[in-house]
Amino acid sequence: AQSVTQLDSQVPVFEEAPVELRCNYSSSVSVYLFWYVQYPNQGLQLLLKYLSGSTLVKGINGFEAEFNKSQTSFHLRKPSVHISDTAEYFCAVSDFGGYQKVTFGIGTKLQVIP
Amino acid sequence: EPEVTQTPSHQVTQMGQEVILRCVPISNHLYFYWYRQILGQKVEFLVSFYNNEISEKSEIFDDQFSVERPDGSNFTLKIRSTKLEDSAMYFCASSGTGGREKLFFGSGTQLSVL
């Protein structure tokens, strides 16, 4: 079974400051990793994903994440946040199976302060 | 970008009533999913559907729940006799090749059981 732990439920950060949202996972098999974003009153949108290859993954809106297998982490970063980044961010994992479910973390609310 | 469409956006029902939540996945996708998010909690997997049958389901997906792909375009979630604890945002998702590809999520149906 897989699980995802997002260590911070809320992260306040000033506009133009850097941010890191933390995610750790556990799984007995190799996995794919994802970050999804949910803006208020909207559905989930994929920010980025790690399937294989380079451990540094770049996504939309200037976000990036680094896969660290030894630490079983997949932290999300952005060097300079904008007000429009205020949203809830979900780390997620799925195993290598063809149609296996995606397991989500509990989410981290990013609040960008002007 | 192609979209997953969900209707209705809000559904209010009385406890014990049947509800059907509707989804139109992306046309060439093969894998279909339902997730739900109870207010303040994580996004939870309910069921995955492939080749006209359920491929995996969670403990939440008991006999009160069913899914159907009645024609080539719609994918429905039926709750036979709703309970108060079924109140949640229900997300439909689809993907082309399952876990290796990103899930495309709809914007959700907010179900309120009174």
Side-chain angles (χ1 to χ4, degrees), chain B residues 87-104:
Chain B
S87 295
M89 177 72 88
Y90 287 81
F91 292 105
C92 173
S94 69
S95 72
T97 53
R100 291 192 302 276
E101 291 288 327
K102 70 177 180 178
L103 298 181
F104 288 78

Side-chain angles (χ1 to χ4, degrees), chain A:
Chain A
Q2 309 142 359
S3 68
V4 176
T5 302
Q6 290 184 247
L7 297 165
D8 307 297
S9 59
Q10 293 193 62
V11 174
V13 62
F14 286 104
E15 194 173 15
E16 297 183 6
V19 70
E20 179 179 83
L21 306 183
R22 296 180 292 169
C23 172
N24 288 89
Y25 70 93
S26 67
S27 176
S28 57
V29 299
S30 297
V31 296
Y32 302 116
L33 294 157
F34 310 84
W35 275 99
Y36 283 84
V37 59
Q38 185 179 27
Y39 298 104
N41 301 314
Q42 293 187 28
L44 296 160
Q45 180 183 357
L46 183 71
L47 266 184
L48 49 79
K49 62 184 176 184
Y50 172 78
L51 303 182
S52 65
S54 172
T55 57
L56 183 63
V57 181
K58 293 190 184 299
I60 61 171
N61 301 339
F63 283 92
E64 63 181 33
E66 184 152 24
F67 170 58
N68 187 318
K69 189 174 181 179
S70 62
Q71 297 185 1
T72 60
S73 67
F74 190 56
H75 300 333
L76 181 70
R77 301 187 192 99
K78 186 169 182 178
S80 174
V81 296
H82 190 266
I83 290 288
S84 59
D85 294 322
T86 295
E88 189 153 19
Y89 293 79
F90 295 90
C91 183
V93 62
S94 75
D95 68 27
F96 275 6
Y99 44 76
Q100 295 302 313
K101 66 184 182 185
V102 174
T103 300
F104 286 84
I106 200 162
T108 297
K109 288 190 172 72
L110 174 63
Q111 178 69 43
V112 180
I113 305 162

